[in-house]
Amino acid sequence: MAGKDASVLTISPDGPLRGSITTFGALAGSGFRRYTTYRQATIAGTFTNVVFGYLRCYVLLAVAASTLGNRPAGYDTEQLATYVWLGQGLLSVVMLWGWSELAERIRTGDVASDLLRPVPPLVAYLAADLGRSAHAMLTRFVAPVVVGALCFPLRVPTRWQTVPLFLVSVLLAVVVSFGCRYLVNATAYWLHDARGPIMMWVLGAGVLGGLYFPLRLLPDWLAITLWLGTPMPSILQTPLDVAAERDGPDLQLALVALQAGWAVALLALAAAVQRRAERRLVVQGG
Amino acid sequence: MIRTDNLTRNFTVRIKRGRFRREKRTVEAVAGVSLDIGAGEMVGYIGPNGAGKSTTLKMLTGVLTPSSGEARVCGLRPVPERTKLALRIGVVFGQRSQLWWDLPLHESFALLRHIYRVPAGEHAARLRRCRELLDLDDFLDTPVRQLSLGQRMRGELTAALLHGPRVLFLDEPTIGLDVVSKQAVRSFLAELGASGDVTLVLTTHDLADIERLCERLVVIDHGRVVHDGTIEALHARYGSRRSLVADLSSPLPEGFELPGATLVGVEADRHRVTFALDGVTAGAAVAQLVAAVPIRDLSVVEPDIEDVVARLYTT
């Protein structure tokens, strides 16, 4: 088809690190771009989050009002409103629910196309997910937080490090959530249909991630066990507690460090699962 | 460029034998395929459904681990060196898409440039060439999900070639396409093959693809290679012959014989006859026939590859 110039294989003259960063950035950009094509879905989803935000906020504030000292689990009313409204925004940033793309591609055999690229599927999906979360941060996070700030008294950070720590915590929360979702989807390599594990994940992530109620309402021993023994609180409860300044600076930092630990562990586990799956993969559908 | 030695892939299937009983059975999808394909060759890889064509291609591209045997593509072992190999091969699965469903075609191409780390100049040159040959300009801005099958397939071909692969694997690239799209794809592949820069392995059920594009034909059945050679060799092996079909002005006399040819068909009250040419040339056969009976019309029919392959599949 092409002349000689176009037929000879050439690798980018950039260094391997720079090339990898460019590739990762391009894949992240594609994740961002893909979600910009669904504007109406973004608006509808944001509206739903805002409506449920009101509902949850009034319920929790009612609970606070009936609690001795108006501080359930150590949160004051501003911190509770912050927990709810930032939570409503972060819900779609960490994509707690609704990702079955990999499982579907394994089921149909389309995962073969992912494997035919020179980028490992785990890296490609992570990059795309970070792009998606950046889009969600700019759209679906902002609206509920603005509505919450206009209608309720939210906590204004009192420490300079809270905002940068919150942003790092959100990034890590996305990675932890991605790691969990990837592993849940990867069960399709063995089960062919991952709907069961995905349903379990949806149920478990909502309860144990801290969406339905603040995990600090649980007895201390149970909350600590959940934080240390499962990645779930690192997905939603940690960034919310960081933003609400629920804890002192040391514990605030320690929770983010724990998140980082879970992020690394989950990515390593997902990479190992992917390697194992590829050895036994049977591409479905001819 | 491609070498396999006794390449084998078994699958285990479980067959229901009662309410709780399942019997395991091993199915040999590819059973000892040995191939040696040189650089720049265009090879047609055909076989009936379930013969093992796609399984072989999956093993050669590194997405399926062989049960036994060896494979080398561009000097690399496909499974352990899959990501390295991905830079050197292009793959088009007719029934799958490698493009991003939500993105316009040109954005998919731009993304592939970064994934394969192709210098901008080379990428632009290849894309320009594909745009010209495959008429992509009308739908470059259309999201992939809105493309017709023919448009998407042209996009898939371009996507597989933008990084300048040395080997192109095509698994049923013309499946479901209309005549015009098929011809566009075939012409494009013919030009690609003629350049000699790319080794092309094509699986298809459309034998017109093979006749147009491939000199070498590998036929696989029940996981085994049953023919490896030129299309002419296949015809010779299965005794395919050219035919002379003649419309006569008067009926063919009873007992008429044409030396070097066999009468294989008589129709329309002996006014239309078909001779299979065994050793005689078409010209000599026509001359003999004209000398015996006045002829209104005649045609020489080349052997039909579909018939040969159908016979091959059923034997």
Side-chain angles (χ1 to χ4, degrees):
Chain A
M1 59 106 201
K4 275 280 178 202
D5 63 320
S7 60
V8 178
L9 179 83
T10 45
I11 307 296
S12 168
D14 296 343
L17 181 63
R18 194 174 157 196
S20 299
I21 292 170
T22 309
T23 303
F24 195 86
L27 284 164
S30 77
F32 187 100
R33 180 74 183 84
R34 281 179 67 189
Y35 277 81
T36 61
T37 60
Y38 298 107
R39 294 189 190 93
Q40 286 170 333
T42 303
I43 293 167
T46 308
F47 177 75
T48 310
N49 284 2
V50 169
V51 171
F52 274 90
Y54 274 105
L55 204 69
R56 290 183 59 218
C57 198
Y58 280 121
V59 168
L60 271 179
L61 291 181
V63 169
S66 63
T67 310
L68 195 65
N70 289 355
R71 288 182 71 88
Y75 295 95
D76 61 26
T77 47
E78 287 181 0
Q79 286 172 319
L80 275 179
T82 304
Y83 159 81
V84 169
W85 287 103
L86 264 65
Q88 287 303 105
L90 281 185
L91 190 55
S92 48
V93 175
V94 298
M95 206 183 208
L96 205 55
W97 304 318
W99 192 69
S100 56
E101 187 182 344
L102 176 64
E104 193 59 22
R105 289 178 72 81
I106 295 166
R107 192 180 67 77
T108 58
D110 286 347
V111 72
S113 301
D114 301 333
L115 296 171
L116 289 168
R117 297 203 172 112
V119 180
L122 180 68
V123 177
Y125 278 104
L126 174 63
D129 201 58
L130 289 174
R132 176 205 59 73
S133 66
H135 175 262
M137 197 71 186
L138 294 176
T139 54
R140 302 208 38 194
F141 176 77
V142 171
V145 172
V146 169
V147 172
L150 290 175
C151 303
F152 295 87
L154 298 190
R155 168 92 173 187
V156 178
T158 57
R159 301 173 210 141
W160 68 266
Q161 70 269 39
T162 294
V163 173
L165 209 53
F166 170 69
L167 293 175
V168 171
S169 180
V170 169
L171 178 67
L172 290 169
V174 173
V175 176
V176 171
S177 165
F178 167 79
C180 292
R181 283 182 278 122
Y182 196 92
L183 285 167
V184 170
N185 273 253
T187 57
Y189 282 120
W190 285 267
L191 304 175
H192 302 304
D193 188 341
R195 276 180 294 184
I198 288 172
M199 278 184 70
M200 293 288 288
W201 154 256
V202 167
L203 190 70
V207 176
L208 304 179
L211 174 69
Y212 299 135
F213 58 87
L215 296 179
R216 299 298 180 84
L217 287 173
L218 297 170
D220 280 351
W221 66 268
L222 186 53
I224 292 169
T225 307
L226 280 178
W227 243 282
L228 295 175
T230 76
M232 305 298 191
S234 295
I235 295 172
L236 208 57
Q237 188 69 59
T238 296
L240 296 178
D241 281 351
V242 167
E245 295 182 332
R246 161 68 176 71
D247 306 293
D250 292 344
L251 187 52
Q252 202 182 26
L253 190 64
L255 287 174
V256 177
L258 182 63
Q259 263 188 310
W262 273 115
V264 171
L266 284 164
L267 288 183
L269 183 61
V273 166
Q274 179 66 31
R275 272 197 303 276
R276 201 174 174 83
E278 283 170 16
R279 281 204 294 274
R280 67 168 317 279
L281 175 68
V282 175
V283 174
Q284 307 289 323
Chain B
M1 190 58 74
I2 299 171
R3 181 168 291 178
T4 69
D5 183 19
N6 222 12
L7 197 63
T8 301
R9 173 69 204 203
N10 301 325
F11 292 110
T12 304
V13 290
R14 287 179 173 78
I15 297 160
K16 197 171 177 181
R17 285 280 179 250
R19 191 176 291 269
F20 299 110
R21 275 188 57 220
R22 296 282 186 279
E23 189 182 291
K24 268 190 185 180
R25 188 183 288 174
T26 302
V27 176
E28 220 172 20
V30 175
V33 167
S34 298
L35 291 171
D36 193 348
I37 298 173
E41 273 197 84
M42 294 179 82
V43 178
Y45 194 58
I46 66 166
N49 289 327
K53 305 181 296 294
S54 296
T55 305
T56 311
L57 247 55
K58 285 172 194 164
M59 288 193 280
L60 293 179
T61 52
V63 296
L64 189 66
T65 309
S67 301
S68 64
E70 283 272 329
R72 295 266 172 176
V73 179
C74 302
L76 300 170
R77 290 168 299 149
V79 174
E81 297 174 287
R82 193 188 70 231
T83 45
K84 265 192 212 167
L85 181 64
L87 292 167
R88 292 163 172 79
I89 62 169
V91 186
V92 175
F93 287 121
Q95 304 189 63
R96 305 189 192 288
S97 179
Q98 59 182 314
L99 302 166
W100 284 262
W101 198 242
D102 315 283
L103 298 181
L105 205 49
H106 71 88
E107 287 190 31
S108 279
F109 295 154
L111 188 52
L112 285 168
R113 176 173 98 73
H114 291 295
I115 289 177
Y116 286 92
R117 300 189 199 169
V118 184
E122 283 184 25
H123 174 84
R126 292 189 188 116
L127 184 55
R128 194 167 49 242
R129 191 89 176 123
C130 289
R131 280 167 57 180
E132 283 166 16
L133 289 172
L134 289 167
D135 284 330
L136 301 178
D137 287 348
D138 289 344
F139 49 90
L140 267 179
D141 294 325
T142 310
V144 171
R145 62 172 186 269
Q146 292 172 6
L147 296 180
S148 72
L149 183 61
Q151 290 172 332
R152 185 171 69 74
M153 195 48 66
R154 284 185 265 168
E156 299 281 352
L157 274 172
T158 306
L161 289 166
L162 285 175
H163 56 287
R166 291 176 184 168
V167 181
L168 185 62
F169 292 100
L170 301 156
D171 192 1
E172 302 190 35
T174 55
I175 192 166
L177 299 189
D178 64 34
V179 179
V180 177
S181 297
K182 264 186 193 178
Q183 280 175 350
V185 169
R186 279 181 199 143
S187 304
F188 177 75
L189 292 175
E191 188 156 333
L192 181 70
S195 72
D197 296 325
V198 181
T199 306
L200 203 144
V201 178
L202 168 73
T203 84
T204 183
H205 287 297
D206 190 336
L207 296 171
D209 291 347
I210 302 282
E211 281 189 303
R212 171 83 199 273
L213 298 169
C214 305
E215 285 187 356
R216 181 175 166 192
L217 185 64
V218 176
V219 187
I220 181 172
D221 194 12
H222 292 101
R224 289 181 169 77
V225 174
V226 293
H227 173 83
D228 184 356
T230 60
I231 293 175
E232 288 73 30
L234 186 69
H235 284 308
R237 181 175 160 192
Y238 283 88
S240 306
R241 297 167 293 182
R242 292 202 294 169
S243 310
L244 178 68
V245 183
D247 287 322
L248 310 175
S249 299
S250 56
L252 186 74
E254 288 289 341
F256 176 83
E257 283 192 7
L258 197 62
T262 313
L263 183 65
V264 291
V266 179
E267 297 165 75
D269 218 9
R270 298 185 74 80
H271 278 81
R272 186 183 177 89
V273 292
T274 306
F275 289 95
L277 306 179
D278 296 319
V280 68
T281 64
V286 171
Q288 288 180 53
L289 191 60
V290 168
V293 202
I295 291 177
R296 256 204 323 259
D297 194 9
L298 64 82
S299 59
V300 178
V301 180
E302 292 296 321
D304 188 354
I305 189 174
E306 302 232 355
D307 292 341
V308 182
V309 171
R311 268 194 279 162
L312 193 60
Y313 288 176
T314 49
T315 49

